[in-house]
Amino acid sequence: METKLRIAVQSKGRLYDETMELLGESGIRLTAVKRTLLVPARNFPVELLFLRDDDIPESVANGTADIGIVGLNEVLEKDKEVEIVKRLGFSRCHISLAIPQHIEYSGLSWFNGRKIATSYPGILDKFLRDNNIKADIHVITGSVEIAPGIGLADAIFDIVSSGSTLVSNNLVEVENVLDSEAVLIKAAGNTLTATKQDTLDELLFRFNAVKAADGKKYILMNVPKNKLDEVLSILPGIKSPTVLPLANADWCSVHSVLEEKRLWEIVGRLKAAGAEGILALDIEKMIL
Ligand SMILES: Nc1ncnc2c1ncn2[C@@H]1O[C@H](COP(=O)(O)OP(=O)(O)OP(=O)(O)O)[C@@H](O)[C@H]1O
Ligand SMILES: O=P(O)(O)OC[C@H]1O[C@H](OP(=O)(O)OP(=O)(O)O)[C@H](O)[C@@H]1O
Ligand SMILES: [Mg+2]
C-alpha cells in the first residue's frame, strides 16, 4: 500500500510560489524540479501532485490526493466533499461585488434584475439566494472586470486584492462576500491510514512553527544593570526575556522576540532607556 501522503498543489499561478515556499521552509525537498505531474520529496514521506487549482477540491474529495492546498474560494465554489484542516494565511483576497464607479449604489437590492459577470457562479448564486436577490449570472472564466465596460454585464463578482484592477476598469467594490486565503483540505469524514496521519501531523507541526516565526524578530542588546528593570518593562517577550551576564559585571545581555511591526517603536524606547548594541535577527522557525 502507498504510504506517502499525496498533496495536490497548484502547478502554476498565484498559489504556486507561496505553497512551494511553505513546503520548503518546512524542510521538504523535492527529488527533481517539477515538470512531471507527480513529484516525491526526497527527505519526507510526501509526494506532490501538480494540478490546476480548479481540480484540487475534486482530486481530494475522490481520493486521488490525500490532502490539497487551494484557495478557500475554489473550495466553496466547487462544493465537493472536503473539509478544511487548516487556514494557511497566504493568497489572501476577497471575492466581491463591484459596480461602475458612476453609479450611486443604493444597497443590495440594486442588484435585482441586473446582469452580473463572474467566474464564481456557485458562491454568487448562494449569496444572492440568501439575500433574496434575483439577478442574472453571466459566467466568464477570465478578464471579468472588463465585462461592464464592454456592455456584457451591469456588475461583476470577482477576486479583489489591492483593488487596482477594479480602479483601472472604473469599478468600485460595494459588497465583500467572502474573505479567502489558501487552505489545507482533506476528504470529508475520511480517515487517513495511521502512517499518513502521522505524516500530516508532522507537516502541520512544521507549518505552525513556520507561521509562528512569521513577522517576528529576535533582538538582543547590552544593558547597564542599573537600567535593566526599565528595559525589561519595555519588552513584550514571549514568556520572559532572557538575561545573561557579561564579562563586565555592570552590564548584561538581554534577548527577546518582538513583532516586526513594533520593532522600530520598541527599539527607540530601548535606546532611550540605555540599551546599546541592539541587534535584530530573522527567526526561521519558532517551536512553541
Ligand atoms: N490578486 C490576488 N491576490 C491574492 N490572491 C489571489 C489573487 N488572485 C487570486 N488569488 C488567489 O489565488 C488563487 C489562484 O489564482 P490564479 O490566478 O493562479 O488562478 P487560476 O488562473 O485559476 O489558476 P489555474 O491555472 O491553476 O486554474 C485564487 O483562487 C485565489 O484564491
Ligand atoms: O485587486 P487586485 O490586486 O488588482 O487583484 C485582483 C485581480 O487579481 C486576479 O487576477 P490576476 O492578476 O491573477 O490575473 P488573471 O486575470 O490572469 O487571473 C483576479 O482575477 C483579479 O482580476
Ligand atoms: Mg483556476
Side-chain angles (χ1 to χ4, degrees):
M1 197 182 15
E2 185 51 74
T3 54
K4 286 193 183 96
L5 185 75
R6 185 177 293 171
I7 313 173
V9 299
Q10 191 190 30
S11 54
K12 60 179 189 317
R14 293 245 178 203
L15 291 162
Y16 173 79
D17 286 343
E18 283 184 278
T19 300
M20 299 312 285
E21 191 181 329
L22 176 62
L23 292 170
E25 286 177 348
S26 300
I28 290 158
R29 304 280 170 259
L30 300 182
T31 49
V33 190
K34 63 152 218 194
R35 271 295 150 234
T36 49
L37 199 61
L38 193 61
V39 179
R42 58 182 151 82
N43 60 349
F44 198 67
V46 299
E47 56 188 3
L48 302 191
L49 175 64
F50 289 101
L51 299 175
R52 286 200 60 186
D53 69 344
D54 309 59
D55 298 329
I56 293 175
E58 170 67 17
S59 76
V60 171
N62 71 20
T64 306
D66 297 304
I67 60 171
I69 295 178
V70 67
L72 177 61
N73 53 315
E74 281 303 328
V75 174
L76 298 179
E77 179 60 31
K78 296 295 185 287
D79 197 20
K80 302 291 178 190
E81 295 284 304
V82 297
E83 62 190 41
I84 291 161
V85 179
K86 185 172 172 57
R87 288 176 171 258
L88 298 172
F90 59 84
S91 291
R92 282 185 193 277
C93 55
H94 27 268
I95 320 296
S96 297
L97 282 161
I99 65 172
Q101 279 163 358
H102 63 84
I103 289 172
E104 197 163 326
Y105 184 60
S106 52
L108 259 187
S109 61
W110 182 86
F111 287 97
N112 270 313
R114 309 277 178 182
K115 193 168 177 183
I116 310 171
T118 188
S119 310
Y120 296 97
I123 299 173
L124 178 58
D125 184 54
K126 181 174 184 311
F127 176 77
L128 295 176
R129 273 189 286 113
D130 288 349
N131 288 283
N132 273 318
I133 304 290
K134 297 224 175 329
D136 180 12
I137 299 178
H138 182 74
V139 181
I140 35 182
T141 52
S143 305
V144 174
E145 290 91 347
I146 64 163
I150 58 170
L152 207 60
D154 302 301
I156 65 148
F157 179 65
D158 198 21
I159 292 172
V160 180
S161 177
S162 65
S164 62
T165 309
L166 292 184
V167 170
S168 54
N169 287 282
N170 301 314
L171 298 170
V172 60
E173 183 177 11
V174 290
E175 303 284 342
N176 174 2
V177 172
L178 172 74
D179 289 317
S180 184
E181 66 188 275
V183 293
L184 191 148
I185 54 171
K186 70 191 251 309
N190 201 6
T191 44
L192 297 170
T193 62
T195 314
K196 286 184 178 181
Q197 185 63 49
D198 284 349
T199 306
L200 176 56
D201 290 344
E202 174 64 23
L203 198 61
L204 289 171
F205 173 76
R206 294 186 187 190
F207 284 0
N208 287 336
V210 171
K211 197 164 170 225
D214 202 25
K216 302 266 193 332
K217 292 279 175 197
Y218 189 85
I219 63 161
L220 46 160
M221 71 211 83
N222 294 337
V223 179
K225 279 215 174 124
N226 60 356
K227 301 285 176 57
L228 184 60
D229 287 346
E230 191 181 345
V231 163
L232 293 186
S233 72
I234 296 167
L235 288 170
I238 307 182
K239 278 201 181 111
S240 87
T242 307
V243 180
L244 300 171
L246 288 179
N248 180 336
D250 294 334
W251 286 73
C252 54
S253 172
V254 174
H255 300 207
S256 188
V257 173
L258 290 183
E259 291 284 345
E260 189 171 8
K261 58 179 182 289
R262 294 196 59 201
L263 183 73
W264 292 112
E265 168 223 329
I266 291 178
V267 161
R269 291 167 59 203
L270 292 170
K271 274 171 68 188
E276 290 182 11
I278 303 172
L279 298 179
L281 311 174
D282 287 337
I283 300 175
E284 213 178 290
K285 314 280 182 317
M286 211 154 102
I287 321 293
L288 297 171

